[in-house]
Amino acid sequence: MTDFAEIWGYLGRDPLLWLTLTLGAYVVGDAASRASGRNPLVNPVLIAMIILGTTLWATATPYPVYFEGAQFVHFMLGPATVALAVPLYGQIHRIRKAALPLIGALLAGVVTSVLSVVWIGEAMGLERQVLLSLVPKSATAPVALGVSESLGGSPTLTAVLVILTGICGAVVVTPLMNALGIRDWRARGFSVGVAAHGIGAARALQVNETAGAFAAVGMGLSAIATAFLAPILAGWLL
Amino acid sequence: MIFSVTLILVFQLAGVVLVQLLHLPVPGPVAGMALLLLAMLLVPALYDKVRPAGQGILQHLSLLFVPAGVGVVGHIGTLGSQGWGIAVALIGSTLLALLAGVFAFLALAKLTGAADD
């Protein structure tokens, strides 16, 4: 037992352990998602979060120690955002043709997201700081954190809420759109990119190439629109 | 592959610099995405150069959100006491935003005749 404690004391501080566990947890989540036939309810990010969260809790490891190792994965978010230009370019002629629907859907999606989260949140009696942290929830993480901070919310809470929003969007989009009988992949992809940023886009890329490209556009435009509109809308409401 | 990765990092760096210089309200990587798109529109040969790394990264895009998501452990207290309210607001608002977006798109696509091919 002392041996284990000693090994743990050494390994628990090594970034390699947490990097390996992050990839390992995702491999498990992805395998489960694959085994379910990509059932939207079996979300790989959510499974990985549960595995890792439980591990941190069980080993009393502080989040900053975990992040020492996980930061290498986190860093790749930047290059991945840049790489979204690739599917976007591949579909550029279809995107150009749909310019007006894109702008309309962008404004409708972003405004609805901000207004409805504040109204529902107020009705549910949420604290002001939680409400402010929820305002930019549909934007991609770096934008959302900046907006949350400028509004007086909690950036770290926003980071979590953004991820949960992404998972929620990724889980509901396919059953919701199928139930409504919507077959336009452009509309499906774009709206999930606007409402549920990169995690929604990741789901869209899995389902259909066109949907993925439009989701990438939606995510990028939603980031820009949220950065400008969320502070104005939140100023009116809160 | 290395060339492909380098190109993507170069565009991210360019985006970060642009955002700093012009004080833009978007993050550097989003500006980098716009710059890379613009560059491919001007020089279509770039597409085949960035595609290998680009598609490689995007294949497992959702993995990259895991480290930030694990931050949930630091907010168990808030999520516990106001968890129901947060869940209702978050799920309700995401559904409404999805519906608003998709119906606005379809209505405008019909209006402008921008049907899919």
Side-chain angles (χ1 to χ4, degrees):
Chain A
M1 196 60 213
T2 9
D3 285 350
F4 178 77
E6 260 172 42
I7 292 171
W8 180 258
Y10 170 74
L11 268 187
R13 277 168 224 291
D14 193 326
L16 176 64
L17 175 73
W18 298 111
L19 177 60
T20 310
L21 286 179
T22 300
L23 290 174
Y26 182 77
V27 167
V28 172
D30 195 49
S33 161
R34 218 177 279 270
S36 74
R38 294 285 179 207
N39 184 322
L41 284 173
V42 186
N43 184 281
V45 183
L46 187 62
I47 295 172
M49 274 168 62
I50 294 169
I51 296 174
L52 292 163
T54 313
T55 310
L56 292 194
W57 173 77
T59 58
T61 305
Y63 182 68
V65 171
Y66 163 77
F67 200 77
E68 281 282 300
Q71 63 177 320
F72 303 106
V73 173
H74 184 76
F75 171 80
M76 291 304 292
L77 267 179
T81 306
V82 177
L84 283 169
V86 171
L88 220 153
Y89 178 78
Q91 301 274 338
I92 194 74
H93 63 285
R94 302 172 86 178
I95 290 163
R96 273 200 183 130
K97 262 177 67 183
L100 203 65
L102 290 183
I103 294 168
L106 169 69
L107 293 176
V110 170
V111 172
T112 306
S113 166
V114 173
L115 296 184
S116 65
V117 85
V118 171
W119 284 332
I120 302 173
E122 271 182 336
M124 295 298 292
L126 294 182
E127 282 168 17
R128 187 183 156 80
Q129 218 211 358
V130 175
L131 281 176
L132 290 170
S133 307
L134 271 167
V135 164
K137 71 171 186 4
S138 284
T140 186
V143 174
L145 300 198
V147 170
S148 170
E149 201 164 21
S150 71
L151 290 176
S154 153
T156 57
L157 179 59
T158 296
V160 172
L161 296 171
V162 165
I163 307 282
L164 293 175
T165 301
I167 293 173
C168 169
V171 167
V172 301
V173 65
T174 308
L176 178 71
M177 298 299 168
N178 286 345
L180 292 169
I182 292 165
R183 288 191 199 86
D184 189 329
W185 289 112
R186 303 171 304 167
R188 289 174 67 137
F190 188 74
S191 59
V192 80
V194 169
H197 58 87
I199 301 181
R203 170 70 191 169
L205 279 167
Q206 240 176 33
V207 174
N208 178 283
E209 200 191 330
T210 303
F214 276 81
V217 187
M219 189 206 86
L221 293 179
S222 167
I224 296 166
T226 305
F228 284 103
L229 290 178
I232 300 172
L233 293 172
W236 283 345
L237 293 167
L238 291 160
Chain B
M1 189 65 182
I2 288 293
F3 184 59
S4 186
V5 173
T6 310
L7 271 176
I8 286 177
L9 289 179
V10 165
F11 276 97
Q12 185 180 351
L13 203 58
V16 171
V17 172
L18 188 75
V19 163
Q20 286 291 325
L21 282 180
L22 302 181
H23 303 285
L24 300 175
V26 296
V30 173
M33 171 172 81
L35 286 175
L36 176 56
L37 180 66
L38 199 69
M40 287 190 292
L41 290 171
L42 294 173
V43 188
L46 261 179
Y47 181 56
D48 284 327
K49 301 280 183 224
V50 292
R51 205 164 49 170
Q55 285 180 338
I57 299 178
L58 292 179
Q59 224 161 18
H60 287 287
L61 179 59
S62 35
L63 160 68
L64 313 182
F65 293 95
V66 171
V70 175
V72 74
V73 294
H75 291 282
I76 295 290
T78 311
L79 294 172
S81 62
Q82 302 185 64
W84 276 112
I86 291 174
V88 172
L90 201 143
I91 294 170
S93 162
T94 304
L95 280 172
L96 289 173
L98 276 171
L99 292 174
V102 82
F103 284 122
F105 188 105
L106 291 175
L108 284 167
K110 205 172 175 187
L111 206 69
T112 57
D116 203 6
D117 30 46

